[in-house]
Amino acid sequence: MSSKTKITVAYGDGIGPEIMEATLKILEAAGAQLEYDVIEIGEQVYLKGISSGMEPQAFESLKETKVFLKAPITTPQGGGFKSLNVTTRTSFGLFANVRPCKAYSPYIKTHYPETDLVIIRENEEDLYAGIEHRQTQEVVQSLKLISKPGSEKIIRYAFEYARKYGRKKVTCMTKDNIMKLADGLFHKTFDAVAKEYPDIQTDHKIIDIGSALIAERPQTFDVIVTLNLYGDIISDIAAQVTGSVGLGGSANVGEEVAMFEAIHGSAPDIAGMDMANPSGLLNGAISMLVHIGQPAVAEKVANAWMRTLEDGIHTGDIYQEGKSKEKVGTQAFAQAVIERLGQMPNNMKPAVFDKSSTDPITIKLSPAVKTEKKLIGVDVFVDWDEEGRDPNALGDALRKADADGLVLQLITNRGIKVYPGGMKETFCTDHWRCRFQKADQSPVTHSQILDLMNQVAGLGFDFIKSENLYSFDGVRAYSLSQGE
């Protein structure tokens, strides 16, 4: 390789500078063709009053290099500080979080020595969109947003990743037995995309039993693809059962920009003490080398690292009395890896990366299909805390609203039907969903809805939001309530 790849490097906070120094020493000794644009991020930037934790020139660096090797940072306590990772993911469209979770037994203590799975998590949508509102004295809402293109993009990435890295099976995890529309969309998209990859086995697990199986039988999984929140949770479960969260690296990949990092935090309590294990960031850097088309160097580093583990040279977090041979600090561990460059592990499976194609995975979405969308009603949410919170009193009052046949059909409280025919035992808050439709559920107009809202306000009610009810190609596109 004659030309060097320029990458953006952030040394971070806490133990970040130590593990970044160690990681870069190993990469340079292995012959990685890199040049660095170093940026400042994290605590000191936050304390300058920059809520994102990144200065404008840092964003410009990423726009230029499109590759970000990032050490952990510290976010100051208190409000007003945005997550730097979330900002980076959403600003640069890093839609895929890739988290390999592999056991390195017996050198790293684990009850599941055969574990070797990869969790691919959607990175931009779901509850992590951060759209929240307090609507009444008692109730706040957090919106879960799932899109078809967002789902298809991460699912296709999972299948392409499986092909590129020789994986045999992709498992989808959702909670579509409860969230039939949002998680249902993800599951349906998975089933549709899977038909295009007949060479790869597929299955689906409900996220709760799926999480339990990761904790109990992680060796049965290969590649897992899931939504943002679920992926965040099961990634840490999987990392923990392999033996050490401190060894895990991760990649956040977009169509143009990619970020590579350790999964652990900045550990300020041991900063500057030469105690930190650089393995997490090093494993993130190995993924980076594959991404930028230097798989041979990635193999050399990964195999030297595994050989170091086999030789019993361990930092304090993974040191086992009677099994480890030498307890070393951050820089000594890095030097031990450097001394083993060119060597292969004796017992663990050597790292082998695809050298036939050095291009990053690219995704092409299916053409959008338009369907017939009809407006057939509206859910009006009201803040009401009167008359002992009797649903019948609320319902009888709202029955007076009639916008050319657009009338009250039912009321729910926290998703449970309470009017008409509700149960007196049902606990009610001050947050009520009031569904208005025509008796035959025929289409309505926006003018009718505006008229209805004016009538609801005229009756003295505080409406706090509304959600239009639609059908697409004649299929209901909204949830029913419990008891409906």
Side-chain angles (χ1 to χ4, degrees), residues 218-326:
Q219 70 277 8
T220 63
F221 294 101
D222 196 354
V223 174
I224 298 171
V225 63
T226 191
L227 299 102
N228 205 340
L229 176 63
Y230 309 146
D232 196 3
I233 295 168
I234 65 173
S235 293
D236 282 353
I237 295 173
Q240 191 62 38
V241 300
T242 60
S244 175
V245 173
L247 300 183
S250 90
N252 294 275
V253 181
E255 294 180 14
E256 295 188 11
V257 177
M259 175 173 69
F260 303 87
E261 61 185 339
I263 67 173
H264 59 72
S266 60
D269 54 320
I270 60 169
M273 299 172 67
D274 193 41
M275 293 173 58
N277 188 339
S279 297
L281 185 59
L282 183 62
N283 278 316
I286 290 168
S287 296
M288 179 195 72
L289 290 171
V290 176
H291 177 80
I292 63 176
Q294 300 185 32
V297 182
E299 283 182 9
K300 185 188 293 188
V301 173
N303 288 320
W305 175 74
M306 285 189 282
R307 182 61 180 265
T308 304
L309 295 182
E310 288 185 348
D311 288 349
I313 301 173
H314 299 158
T315 50
D317 59 315
I318 58 174
Y319 184 85
Q320 299 178 68
E321 197 69 47
K323 291 186 178 180
S324 301
K325 292 181 181 178
E326 184 180 356

Side-chain angles (χ1 to χ4, degrees), residues 12 27 36 94 152 154 185 193 199 248 287 298 321 423 456 476:
L27 299 188
Y36 312 125
L94 309 185
E152 183 182 354
I154 191 66
L185 173 62
V193 171
D199 52 314
S287 296
E321 197 69 47
M423 297 175 57
V456 169
R476 172 180 52 82

Side-chain angles (χ1 to χ4, degrees), residues 172-178 204-211:
C172 174
M173 290 192 183
T174 71
K175 190 66 176 174
D176 65 339
N177 59 328
I178 301 298
H204 173 267
K205 295 280 189 275
I206 297 298
I207 188 63
D208 39 9
I209 187 61
S211 301

Side-chain angles (χ1 to χ4, degrees), residues 408-442:
L408 181 70
Q409 300 296 331
L410 61 88
I411 298 174
T412 70
N413 197 286
R414 296 186 301 166
I416 302 169
K417 181 183 174 184
V418 294
Y419 177 89
M423 297 175 57
K424 63 181 179 62
E425 293 84 1
T426 301
F427 176 77
C428 294
T429 69
D430 56 0
H431 188 276
W432 309 80
R433 178 179 63 168
C434 308
R435 176 158 293 170
F436 291 83
Q437 291 180 294
K438 289 186 175 181
D440 60 0
Q441 296 192 6
S442 59

